[in-house]
Amino acid sequence: MIELSVQLAPKHPHGLILVNPVMTAAGTFGYGIEYSQLVDIQRLGAIICKGTTAKPKEGNPQPRLVEFPFGLLNSIGLQNIGVDAVIKEKAPVWAKWQVPVIVNIAGETVEEYGEVASKLDGVAGIRGIEVNISCPNVKAGGVEFGTSPHLAAEVTATVKARTSLPVIMKLSPNVTDIAEIAVAVAEAGADAVSLINTIKGMAIDITKKKPILGNITGGLSGPGIKPIALYMVYQVSKVVDIPVVGCGGIVSGSDAIEFLMAGATAVQLGTANLSNPAAALDVLEEIKIFMEKEKISKISDLIGVAKN
Ligand code: SIN
């Protein structure tokens, strides 16, 4: 028997135990409902839904995506149905599921984060909140809050004060020192941190002689960013005493195991879901095969083993 369960919020009064460490990342798995027709989502550790704001958002002008052999540049602009519709239309479905759903939230102001968190508090079907202070694609809010330790801490404290759910802060790689931001949110009461969100970038259409994305810039995800994400998880897990959730370019079980060995308690798959809806389940199986082969009986025996 292999023990795969992980505790994502050990300091939280109710905790947040996942049956395994494999989650799907915000914005790449819809509300989970879309994928439930395709794969057995109930076997996942957790699902994180698309970033949710106080009011519905239409998102950025098209084009919003540019594909590369090593990843994807996106500039969605937090298009979403708004928190009220999430509570009314999605949460009742989630409440019947075994797999925990964590709602990713975003805001243009600190108050908006607090308002969305407070509306989600106590809603059946919602097991946690991931706070997006790292979206590089919106003019107001988003990464603005994730690049200042002071503002990141303020958002954390505000959300924590407005919800009894476990709170995971999603960090941006577009900073000089991600460890400093991680420490700030941990000190402000975050139950866990997830990292990394996308890396800011752009692409130019040389025939049209202009940027391809409607918003000019976007965020890069996919296998090309994995070494950067892995290093940041390694750095952050050395300086905080709350769980770290690793994300960035994971496509295989060995990628996920690298993140666990770097200090992550759990991992999120993002871009991989877009080309293979079963990517997260495949990764879970590959982790199990590795553990069996290496005679490792507990996932906790993998976490942080490559840290020194
Ligand atoms: C987007 O909606 O633009 C992507 C979300 C994010 O990167 O946080």
Side-chain angles (χ1 to χ4, degrees):
M1 279 294 284
I2 293 181
E3 177 52 60
L4 287 169
S5 69
V6 292
Q7 170 59 271
L8 259 200
K11 296 189 177 184
H12 187 275
H14 314 304
L16 180 56
I17 293 175
L18 312 186
V19 293
N20 67 68
V22 182
M23 312 160 76
T24 55
T28 64
F29 213 68
Y31 294 93
I33 297 164
E34 303 85 342
Y35 281 73
S36 65
Q37 309 298 318
L38 303 170
V39 294
D40 183 5
I41 59 163
Q42 304 303 331
R43 287 171 45 220
L44 293 167
I47 290 170
I48 310 221
C49 81
K50 176 66 187 162
T52 299
T53 48
K55 297 272 175 294
K57 269 177 104 79
E58 286 189 0
N60 287 338
Q62 301 281 357
R64 293 171 169 187
L65 294 176
V66 186
E67 276 187 72
F68 299 96
F70 52 84
L72 184 70
L73 195 57
N74 92 79
S75 181
I76 308 301
L78 293 176
Q79 178 185 353
N80 78 98
I81 60 176
V83 68
D84 294 334
V86 166
I87 292 169
K88 194 160 167 253
E89 295 163 23
K90 310 298 178 189
V93 180
W94 298 337
K96 298 189 193 116
W97 290 358
Q98 183 184 312
V99 58
V101 176
I102 295 167
V103 176
N104 181 290
I105 69 169
E108 292 188 5
T109 61
V110 176
E111 175 48 33
E112 184 179 348
Y113 283 98
E115 181 192 336
V116 178
S118 131
K119 283 191 170 180
L120 296 170
D121 193 33
V123 175
I126 299 173
R127 300 281 299 281
I129 292 179
E130 182 181 64
V131 185
N132 185 350
I133 50 168
S134 43
C135 176
N137 302 328
V138 285
K139 286 194 177 61
V143 76
E144 171 193 338
F145 294 111
T147 46
S148 146
H150 173 72
L151 287 177
E154 194 182 337
V155 175
T156 309
T158 302
V159 171
K160 281 293 289 180
R162 304 282 290 271
T163 184
S164 57
L165 289 164
V167 172
I168 305 166
M169 299 302 294
K170 184 161 187 181
L171 307 185
S172 172
N174 302 303
V175 291
T176 309
D177 183 5
I178 196 166
E180 183 187 23
I181 310 285
V183 168
V185 302
E187 284 175 354
D191 295 294
V193 286
S194 55
L195 57 132
I196 57 173
N197 204 324
T198 56
I199 299 174
K200 201 158 180 171
M202 72 181 294
I204 291 177
D205 182 326
I206 58 169
T207 310
K208 293 184 183 156
K209 303 179 182 62
K210 59 176 202 150
I212 297 176
L213 291 170
N215 193 47
I216 301 173
T217 61
L220 184 65
S221 61
I225 73 166
K226 196 197 85 182
I228 300 167
L230 187 65
Y231 173 54
M232 289 187 170
V233 164
Y234 179 79
Q235 277 181 294
V236 166
S237 68
K238 281 185 172 190
V239 295
V240 296
D241 63 354
I242 54 175
V244 175
V245 180
C247 179
I250 298 173
V251 298
S252 66
S254 63
D255 291 339
I257 291 163
E258 281 190 75
F259 277 85
L260 297 172
M261 289 184 171
T265 296
V267 294
Q268 294 178 2
L269 266 81
T271 308
N273 301 318
L274 304 176
S275 52
N276 174 14
L281 292 171
D282 292 350
V283 162
L284 177 58
E285 286 314 304
E286 287 162 26
I287 293 173
K288 284 189 207 163
I289 291 166
F290 175 82
M291 290 175 70
E292 272 160 17
K293 192 166 141 265
E294 295 285 323
K295 301 200 181 348
I296 297 165
S297 57
K298 298 195 301 285
I299 197 87
S300 54
D301 289 344
L302 281 177
I303 295 171
V305 292
K307 275 200 306 189
N308 54 27

